[in-house]
Amino acid sequence: MRIPGTSRRRAHVVRWGAGALVLSGTASVVAAMGAYAGGPPSGPSGEKPTIVLVHGAFADASSWNGVVGELQKNGYKVVAAANPLRGIPQDSTYVASLLKSIKGPIVLAGHSYGGEVISQAAAGNSNVKALVYINAIMPDVGESFTSLSAKFPPPPLTKALNQVPFRNGDGTGGTDVYVQTDKLRQVFAQDLPVAQTDLLGATQRPLALSAFTDKLTAAAWHDKPVYVLVGKQDRSIDPALERYEAKRAKARKTVEINSSHVSLISHPQAVKDLIVNAAEDYEWNR
């Protein structure tokens, strides 16, 4: 049947209005579809934030490999920093200088001891739009790894550490801390295959003993959005401490998974999802 011109226009307006109403009422569905397709469209500038990843003690940047690959599939530029593991003053200064070399918005993630480093390194940097803590330590100003951890029972990792003295070229020295290789899988990465934990034990990078007592002079989590992943089977940092930190920092989102301390290796998809969540929140809300 032929519809008169006026009626056709009226029908078009009705259909358009109904469509707009449906779209406005289903933002969460659209967001979910966008995430499934590789993330929502970025803002007016078309610029996604750069994802900067900071590893923790006994590891190197390759510990992020699985996460990096997933983020790159989602179209993000990723930088996995080489954390020196020489203590908070040196490590946070190094990471802060790296952050300043990156143009545009940044989502900054830290694993384990890397959580301390990013908390201080991001302070005063307006380009850092969100902080993501993965099985991490998050001290406040004036707190150290040791003083914060003392609020909870010591995890099994504390009984599996070796101290090894070292000397520098200028004659000064210090003490490095390693995980005992025969106990590493049990206290650090019990959800990884034995062959993989044997490799981690042999290639581990030590943390300077001074890092355990270094006190933070700044804590960026006070004024930046925070996202937290808790490993419920973490034997290196008490999961109760990770939950306490998330609550204290008023985390926008806290995710708990059945993971060891090295969730970034054993559950890279879950870690990637939380980092993308932080990035998408910035992209949608800027």
Side-chain angles (χ1 to χ4, degrees):
M1 180 178 69
R2 185 178 179 86
I3 302 176
T6 301
S7 298
R8 286 200 300 272
R9 286 194 297 273
R10 185 180 295 114
H12 173 74
V13 170
V14 169
R15 287 196 299 272
W16 184 90
L21 182 61
V22 169
L23 286 174
S24 65
T26 58
S28 60
V29 174
V30 174
M33 290 173 64
Y36 180 79
S42 51
S45 68
E47 183 182 22
K48 287 176 174 285
T50 298
I51 311 297
V52 178
L53 308 171
V54 179
H55 66 82
F58 319 119
D60 59 27
S62 68
S63 61
W64 289 105
N65 282 357
V67 178
V68 170
E70 292 299 322
L71 287 169
Q72 290 175 336
K73 290 177 185 176
N74 278 237
Y76 289 96
K77 178 181 178 181
V78 186
V79 177
N83 188 357
L85 303 182
R86 296 296 85 193
I88 293 298
Q90 181 172 333
D91 298 345
S92 64
T93 300
Y94 173 81
V95 172
S97 66
L98 174 64
L99 296 175
K100 289 177 182 178
S101 74
I102 298 172
K103 295 181 179 180
I106 297 167
V107 169
L108 181 59
H111 172 248
S112 188
Y113 164 71
E116 293 187 83
V117 175
I118 69 171
S119 294
Q120 186 153 306
N125 189 328
S126 61
N127 280 353
V128 178
K129 304 302 182 182
L131 300 170
V132 186
Y133 293 88
I134 308 299
N135 298 76
I137 284 284
M138 298 170 57
D140 202 347
V141 174
E143 288 181 335
S144 67
F145 186 111
T146 299
S147 65
L148 177 57
S149 298
K151 297 178 184 292
F152 295 84
L157 175 69
T158 59
K159 296 182 179 180
L161 299 175
N162 278 335
Q163 296 184 19
V164 179
F166 68 85
R167 295 195 67 78
N168 296 309
D170 60 3
T172 61
T175 302
D176 274 337
V177 179
Y178 293 83
V179 183
Q180 297 171 21
T181 55
D182 61 333
K183 297 179 181 178
L184 184 141
R185 185 173 189 275
Q186 177 185 350
V187 303
F188 194 70
Q190 72 273 16
D191 54 355
L192 294 181
V194 172
Q196 192 169 6
T197 54
D198 285 348
L199 182 61
L200 292 177
T203 60
Q204 65 178 291
R205 292 181 57 232
L207 177 69
L209 180 63
S210 60
F212 288 91
T213 54
D214 287 335
K215 295 180 180 179
L216 262 64
T217 59
W221 52 259
H222 279 290
D223 53 20
K224 296 183 185 293
V226 168
Y227 300 75
V228 174
L229 184 141
V230 176
K232 293 193 287 186
Q233 309 302 324
D234 198 330
R235 298 175 183 172
S236 297
I237 299 175
D238 191 326
L241 171 56
E242 296 172 19
R243 297 182 186 105
Y244 165 81
E245 294 169 334
K247 184 176 181 180
R248 182 171 70 167
K250 298 179 174 60
R252 290 194 178 183
K253 185 171 185 178
T254 301
V255 175
E256 298 200 3
I257 64 173
N258 284 315
S259 170
S260 70
H261 184 63
V262 293
S263 59
L264 71 172
I265 300 175
S266 59
H267 293 78
Q269 183 72 36
V271 173
K272 183 274 295 186
D273 287 346
L274 184 60
I275 294 171
V276 169
N277 193 173
E280 289 178 349
D281 281 355
Y282 161 72
E283 291 177 57
W284 279 107
N285 296 322
R286 62 180 167 181

